[in-house]
Amino acid sequence: MNDQFGRTITYLRLSLTERCTLKCAYCRAGEGECPKKSELSGEEFLRIVRAFTAVGIKKVRLTGGEPMLRRDLLDIISGIRAIDAIEEIVITTNGQHLAGMCAQLKQVGLNRLNISLDSLKPERYAEITGGGSLEKVLSGIDEALAAGFQPIKINAVLLRGQNDDEIDDFIALTKDQPINVRFIEYMPLSATDRTDLRVTGEEILRAHPALQPVEPAYAGQPSRDYQMPGHKGRVGLINPVSHRFCADCNRVRVMSDGMLRPCLGSNEEYSLKEALESGDDAVLIETIRAAIRQKPETHCFDSGFLTGKNMSHIGG
Ligand code: SAM
């Protein structure tokens, strides 16, 4: 269905859990140990996805928190795969639990993987993530490629002074393998907006004039894509603040507590919990329709927006 600004909403992001193995400051600042609030069950998530197909959702991304912490992850994926209207199921993961899982993920019907990776230096990676293992992520990437997940998308949030000296090393990953690296601009999705951390796409392009623009892989994609001549993979620039793409936004989010957030950069939310408890899918679908109609025209990242929830809760 279309929202009030004529955007067709086809893409649902499900944050399966707030829990995460990592503690990246820009993602879950101010939070202590991972919260263990009550999460929707796998069956509730499947009811939600089925209801969303009634309004035209075709693509589902599983995220979090860390979606691979859900014990019922494979059941959730195969349940979504059984829903005819869903054409694509993708996951965003920190890669810490990927090795040993890729064949099963492929078998139950996962289409693609995005892996978050903010540094290629083991000690720095551990520092940014609060103890993560780079080795585990790299083995996960190798296994995913071998299992036929191609291309793999690597998401790196660039943080000025922390990892922006690694841009060339990330671009080198695109040389021989079907790996697309996407540089994501820091968004104010924790307690304060650290604008000083933000590295814009324009800065990257100025410093890397050899990057050649290429056609988007699909319509409405958030990244502007480039390629180094002769490289297999792409370099994507995702700049929600300095180069906003709200006019093409086709997505909404449902969090693990059953709250629906039509826009990442707005604190407006709608509860699906009562509709779920009513047992009446028509009520669920009407609640979803009402929320999509109210999707804000644009985010408020550059007008003093402070999020009510961290990214680890909303689902990146
Ligand atoms: N745990 C999974 C992972 O690490 O990929 C999925 C959830 S995580 C919230 C999804 C993505 O959001 C990650 O790529 C992360 O780097 C990104 N992210 C989190 N906070 C962000 C922020 N403040 N600005 C930009 N991206 C952010």
mmCIF file of all heavy atoms in Angstrom, residues 20 26-27 63-67 92-94 114-116 118 155 157 184-190 311-312 315-316, ligand 1:
data_model
loop_
_atom_site.group_PDB
_atom_site.id
_atom_site.type_symbol
_atom_site.label_atom_id
_atom_site.label_comp_id
_atom_site.label_asym_id
_atom_site.label_seq_id
_atom_site.Cartn_x
_atom_site.Cartn_y
_atom_site.Cartn_z
ATOM 1 N N CYS A 20 22.052 -8.529 22.412
ATOM 2 C CA CYS A 20 23.168 -8.570 21.468
ATOM 3 C C CYS A 20 24.402 -9.058 22.194
ATOM 4 O O CYS A 20 24.560 -8.837 23.396
ATOM 5 C CB CYS A 20 23.429 -7.192 20.855
ATOM 6 S SG CYS A 20 24.606 -7.273 19.484
ATOM 7 N N TYR A 26 28.046 3.286 19.722
ATOM 8 C CA TYR A 26 27.154 4.121 18.914
ATOM 9 C C TYR A 26 25.785 3.475 18.724
ATOM 10 O O TYR A 26 24.842 4.107 18.262
ATOM 11 C CB TYR A 26 27.792 4.413 17.544
ATOM 12 C CG TYR A 26 28.026 3.174 16.706
ATOM 13 C CD1 TYR A 26 27.004 2.612 15.968
ATOM 14 C CD2 TYR A 26 29.281 2.549 16.671
ATOM 15 C CE1 TYR A 26 27.203 1.464 15.212
ATOM 16 C CE2 TYR A 26 29.490 1.405 15.931
ATOM 17 C CZ TYR A 26 28.449 0.875 15.199
ATOM 18 O OH TYR A 26 28.642 -0.266 14.463
ATOM 19 N N CYS A 27 25.664 2.201 19.071
ATOM 20 C CA CYS A 27 24.428 1.453 18.833
ATOM 21 C C CYS A 27 23.631 1.238 20.115
ATOM 22 O O CYS A 27 22.420 1.305 20.117
ATOM 23 C CB CYS A 27 24.794 0.107 18.206
ATOM 24 S SG CYS A 27 23.402 -0.926 17.734
ATOM 25 N N THR A 63 16.606 -8.612 11.956
ATOM 26 C CA THR A 63 17.698 -7.865 12.542
ATOM 27 C C THR A 63 17.504 -7.843 14.054
ATOM 28 O O THR A 63 16.790 -8.654 14.620
ATOM 29 C CB THR A 63 17.794 -6.469 11.875
ATOM 30 O OG1 THR A 63 18.851 -5.743 12.486
ATOM 31 C CG2 THR A 63 16.520 -5.660 11.943
ATOM 32 N N GLY A 64 18.165 -6.906 14.729
ATOM 33 C CA GLY A 64 18.033 -6.859 16.191
ATOM 34 C C GLY A 64 18.704 -5.610 16.736
ATOM 35 O O GLY A 64 18.861 -4.636 15.987
ATOM 36 N N GLY A 65 19.210 -5.664 17.908
ATOM 37 C CA GLY A 65 19.857 -6.744 18.618
ATOM 38 C C GLY A 65 20.578 -7.686 17.649
ATOM 39 O O GLY A 65 20.833 -7.363 16.524
ATOM 40 N N GLU A 66 20.897 -8.847 18.132
ATOM 41 C CA GLU A 66 21.547 -9.824 17.262
ATOM 42 C C GLU A 66 20.556 -10.947 16.954
ATOM 43 O O GLU A 66 20.259 -11.763 17.836
ATOM 44 C CB GLU A 66 22.828 -10.354 17.918
ATOM 45 C CG GLU A 66 23.512 -11.453 17.148
ATOM 46 C CD GLU A 66 23.650 -11.175 15.643
ATOM 47 O OE1 GLU A 66 24.090 -10.079 15.267
ATOM 48 O OE2 GLU A 66 23.284 -12.054 14.840
ATOM 49 N N PRO A 67 20.046 -10.991 15.715
ATOM 50 C CA PRO A 67 18.996 -11.969 15.394
ATOM 51 C C PRO A 67 19.445 -13.417 15.569
ATOM 52 O O PRO A 67 18.634 -14.300 15.831
ATOM 53 C CB PRO A 67 18.665 -11.669 13.929
ATOM 54 C CG PRO A 67 19.832 -10.915 13.401
ATOM 55 C CD PRO A 67 20.400 -10.167 14.564
ATOM 56 N N THR A 92 20.524 -9.215 8.917
ATOM 57 C CA THR A 92 21.678 -8.390 9.262
ATOM 58 C C THR A 92 22.241 -8.944 10.564
ATOM 59 O O THR A 92 21.516 -9.080 11.544
ATOM 60 C CB THR A 92 21.275 -6.911 9.474
ATOM 61 O OG1 THR A 92 20.669 -6.434 8.288
ATOM 62 C CG2 THR A 92 22.494 -6.043 9.766
ATOM 63 N N THR A 93 23.508 -9.276 10.545
ATOM 64 C CA THR A 93 24.112 -9.939 11.706
ATOM 65 C C THR A 93 25.499 -9.383 11.990
ATOM 66 O O THR A 93 26.162 -8.862 11.087
ATOM 67 C CB THR A 93 24.210 -11.474 11.458
ATOM 68 O OG1 THR A 93 24.940 -12.064 12.539
ATOM 69 C CG2 THR A 93 24.900 -11.817 10.144
ATOM 70 N N ASN A 94 25.923 -9.535 13.247
ATOM 71 C CA ASN A 94 27.281 -9.099 13.574
ATOM 72 C C ASN A 94 28.306 -10.177 13.213
ATOM 73 O O ASN A 94 29.509 -9.974 13.375
ATOM 74 C CB ASN A 94 27.405 -8.695 15.050
ATOM 75 C CG ASN A 94 27.076 -9.826 16.019
ATOM 76 O OD1 ASN A 94 27.272 -10.998 15.720
ATOM 77 N ND2 ASN A 94 26.601 -9.469 17.203
ATOM 78 N N ASN A 114 23.682 -9.573 5.357
ATOM 79 C CA ASN A 114 24.495 -8.368 5.557
ATOM 80 C C ASN A 114 25.264 -8.572 6.858
ATOM 81 O O ASN A 114 24.661 -8.958 7.864
ATOM 82 C CB ASN A 114 23.618 -7.123 5.726
ATOM 83 C CG ASN A 114 22.959 -6.698 4.436
ATOM 84 O OD1 ASN A 114 22.952 -7.436 3.462
ATOM 85 N ND2 ASN A 114 22.393 -5.509 4.439
ATOM 86 N N ILE A 115 26.547 -8.312 6.809
ATOM 87 C CA ILE A 115 27.369 -8.544 7.998
ATOM 88 C C ILE A 115 28.001 -7.224 8.433
ATOM 89 O O ILE A 115 28.605 -6.520 7.617
ATOM 90 C CB ILE A 115 28.451 -9.604 7.690
ATOM 91 C CG1 ILE A 115 27.766 -10.910 7.256
ATOM 92 C CG2 ILE A 115 29.351 -9.828 8.899
ATOM 93 C CD1 ILE A 115 28.691 -11.969 6.719
ATOM 94 N N SER A 116 27.840 -6.902 9.703
ATOM 95 C CA SER A 116 28.386 -5.642 10.212
ATOM 96 C C SER A 116 29.834 -5.851 10.617
ATOM 97 O O SER A 116 30.153 -6.814 11.318
ATOM 98 C CB SER A 116 27.568 -5.171 11.416
ATOM 99 O OG SER A 116 26.224 -5.064 11.044
ATOM 100 N N ASP A 118 33.152 -3.201 11.552
ATOM 101 C CA ASP A 118 33.618 -1.816 11.620
ATOM 102 C C ASP A 118 35.132 -1.673 11.622
ATOM 103 O O ASP A 118 35.647 -0.555 11.590
ATOM 104 C CB ASP A 118 33.060 -1.127 12.881
ATOM 105 C CG ASP A 118 31.550 -0.961 12.815
ATOM 106 O OD1 ASP A 118 30.982 -1.071 11.710
ATOM 107 O OD2 ASP A 118 30.938 -0.738 13.870
ATOM 108 N N ASN A 155 28.653 -4.165 6.160
ATOM 109 C CA ASN A 155 28.267 -2.821 6.604
ATOM 110 C C ASN A 155 29.306 -2.283 7.581
ATOM 111 O O ASN A 155 29.513 -2.886 8.637
ATOM 112 C CB ASN A 155 26.929 -2.852 7.350
ATOM 113 C CG ASN A 155 25.768 -3.169 6.431
ATOM 114 O OD1 ASN A 155 25.870 -2.999 5.217
ATOM 115 N ND2 ASN A 155 24.671 -3.613 7.010
ATOM 116 N N VAL A 157 30.144 1.083 9.790
ATOM 117 C CA VAL A 157 29.788 2.434 10.228
ATOM 118 C C VAL A 157 31.112 3.167 10.438
ATOM 119 O O VAL A 157 31.938 2.737 11.244
ATOM 120 C CB VAL A 157 28.972 2.411 11.540
ATOM 121 C CG1 VAL A 157 28.688 3.827 12.021
ATOM 122 C CG2 VAL A 157 27.667 1.656 11.344
ATOM 123 N N ILE A 184 28.420 3.250 6.123
ATOM 124 C CA ILE A 184 27.194 3.823 6.680
ATOM 125 C C ILE A 184 27.542 5.032 7.542
ATOM 126 O O ILE A 184 28.462 4.964 8.369
ATOM 127 C CB ILE A 184 26.441 2.780 7.536
ATOM 128 C CG1 ILE A 184 26.141 1.532 6.691
ATOM 129 C CG2 ILE A 184 25.156 3.357 8.123
ATOM 130 C CD1 ILE A 184 25.391 0.449 7.440
ATOM 131 N N GLU A 185 26.794 6.093 7.305
ATOM 132 C CA GLU A 185 27.001 7.307 8.093
ATOM 133 C C GLU A 185 26.413 7.110 9.488
ATOM 134 O O GLU A 185 25.306 6.561 9.623
ATOM 135 C CB GLU A 185 26.230 8.420 7.385
ATOM 136 C CG GLU A 185 26.729 9.798 7.572
ATOM 137 C CD GLU A 185 26.046 10.715 6.559
ATOM 138 O OE1 GLU A 185 24.809 10.828 6.595
ATOM 139 O OE2 GLU A 185 26.737 11.295 5.732
ATOM 140 N N TYR A 186 27.147 7.555 10.474
ATOM 141 C CA TYR A 186 26.664 7.499 11.856
ATOM 142 C C TYR A 186 25.358 8.289 11.986
ATOM 143 O O TYR A 186 25.244 9.413 11.495
ATOM 144 C CB TYR A 186 27.752 8.080 12.773
ATOM 145 C CG TYR A 186 27.252 8.474 14.129
ATOM 146 C CD1 TYR A 186 27.134 7.530 15.146
ATOM 147 C CD2 TYR A 186 26.876 9.789 14.392
ATOM 148 C CE1 TYR A 186 26.654 7.894 16.390
ATOM 149 C CE2 TYR A 186 26.394 10.159 15.638
ATOM 150 C CZ TYR A 186 26.277 9.215 16.630
ATOM 151 O OH TYR A 186 25.789 9.569 17.852
ATOM 152 N N MET A 187 24.357 7.685 12.620
ATOM 153 C CA MET A 187 23.066 8.359 12.848
ATOM 154 C C MET A 187 22.874 8.592 14.346
ATOM 155 O O MET A 187 23.364 7.802 15.157
ATOM 156 C CB MET A 187 21.917 7.482 12.332
ATOM 157 C CG MET A 187 21.872 7.348 10.845
ATOM 158 S SD MET A 187 20.550 6.231 10.338
ATOM 159 C CE MET A 187 21.376 4.654 10.387
ATOM 160 N N PRO A 188 22.144 9.634 14.706
ATOM 161 C CA PRO A 188 21.952 9.933 16.135
ATOM 162 C C PRO A 188 20.951 8.979 16.770
ATOM 163 O O PRO A 188 19.829 9.367 17.092
ATOM 164 C CB PRO A 188 21.434 11.379 16.127
ATOM 165 C CG PRO A 188 20.782 11.537 14.810
ATOM 166 C CD PRO A 188 21.492 10.629 13.850
ATOM 167 N N LEU A 189 21.354 7.745 16.937
ATOM 168 C CA LEU A 189 20.441 6.743 17.490
ATOM 169 C C LEU A 189 20.948 6.190 18.805
ATOM 170 O O LEU A 189 20.852 5.009 19.090
ATOM 171 C CB LEU A 189 20.222 5.625 16.475
ATOM 172 C CG LEU A 189 19.307 6.073 15.335
ATOM 173 C CD1 LEU A 189 19.383 5.134 14.170
ATOM 174 C CD2 LEU A 189 17.878 6.211 15.820
ATOM 175 N N SER A 190 21.531 7.057 19.592
ATOM 176 C CA SER A 190 21.835 6.718 20.975
ATOM 177 C C SER A 190 21.592 8.005 21.762
ATOM 178 O O SER A 190 21.043 8.960 21.220
ATOM 179 C CB SER A 190 23.263 6.197 21.117
ATOM 180 O OG SER A 190 24.164 7.111 20.597
ATOM 181 N N MET A 311 19.500 2.051 18.623
ATOM 182 C CA MET A 311 19.413 1.254 17.397
ATOM 183 C C MET A 311 19.303 -0.237 17.734
ATOM 184 O O MET A 311 18.613 -0.991 17.041
ATOM 185 C CB MET A 311 20.657 1.513 16.558
ATOM 186 C CG MET A 311 20.625 0.895 15.205
ATOM 187 S SD MET A 311 19.475 1.757 14.132
ATOM 188 C CE MET A 311 20.447 1.816 12.627
ATOM 189 N N SER A 312 19.979 -0.673 18.799
ATOM 190 C CA SER A 312 19.962 -2.096 19.136
ATOM 191 C C SER A 312 18.553 -2.552 19.502
ATOM 192 O O SER A 312 18.241 -3.739 19.453
ATOM 193 C CB SER A 312 20.918 -2.383 20.292
ATOM 194 O OG SER A 312 20.562 -1.593 21.404
ATOM 195 N N GLY A 315 16.340 -1.879 15.814
ATOM 196 C CA GLY A 315 16.734 -2.813 14.750
ATOM 197 C C GLY A 315 17.279 -2.039 13.577
ATOM 198 O O GLY A 315 16.555 -1.307 12.912
ATOM 199 N N GLY A 316 18.588 -2.210 13.340
ATOM 200 C CA GLY A 316 19.231 -1.456 12.264
ATOM 201 C C GLY A 316 18.990 -2.090 10.919
ATOM 202 O O GLY A 316 18.423 -3.156 10.816
HETATM 203 N N1 SAM B 1 23.441 -7.153 15.509
HETATM 204 C C1 SAM B 1 23.262 -7.037 14.094
HETATM 205 C C2 SAM B 1 24.463 -6.395 13.453
HETATM 206 O O1 SAM B 1 25.393 -6.034 14.166
HETATM 207 O O2 SAM B 1 24.470 -6.301 12.241
HETATM 208 C C3 SAM B 1 21.991 -6.325 13.666
HETATM 209 C C4 SAM B 1 21.572 -5.119 14.401
HETATM 210 S S1 SAM B 1 22.589 -3.698 14.231
HETATM 211 C C5 SAM B 1 21.622 -2.540 15.116
HETATM 212 C C6 SAM B 1 22.340 -3.292 12.527
HETATM 213 C C7 SAM B 1 23.212 -2.242 11.947
HETATM 214 O O3 SAM B 1 22.926 -0.987 12.527
HETATM 215 C C8 SAM B 1 24.690 -2.481 12.133
HETATM 216 O O4 SAM B 1 25.313 -2.472 10.863
HETATM 217 C C9 SAM B 1 25.129 -1.300 12.945
HETATM 218 O O5 SAM B 1 26.436 -0.933 12.664
HETATM 219 C C10 SAM B 1 24.117 -0.249 12.527
HETATM 220 N N2 SAM B 1 24.019 0.860 13.486
HETATM 221 C C11 SAM B 1 23.777 0.786 14.811
HETATM 222 N N3 SAM B 1 23.774 2.016 15.376
HETATM 223 C C12 SAM B 1 24.004 2.888 14.375
HETATM 224 C C13 SAM B 1 24.127 4.305 14.327
HETATM 225 N N4 SAM B 1 24.025 5.058 15.416
HETATM 226 N N5 SAM B 1 24.360 4.865 13.117
HETATM 227 C C14 SAM B 1 24.495 4.108 12.000
HETATM 228 N N6 SAM B 1 24.382 2.766 11.993
HETATM 229 C C15 SAM B 1 24.159 2.162 13.160
#
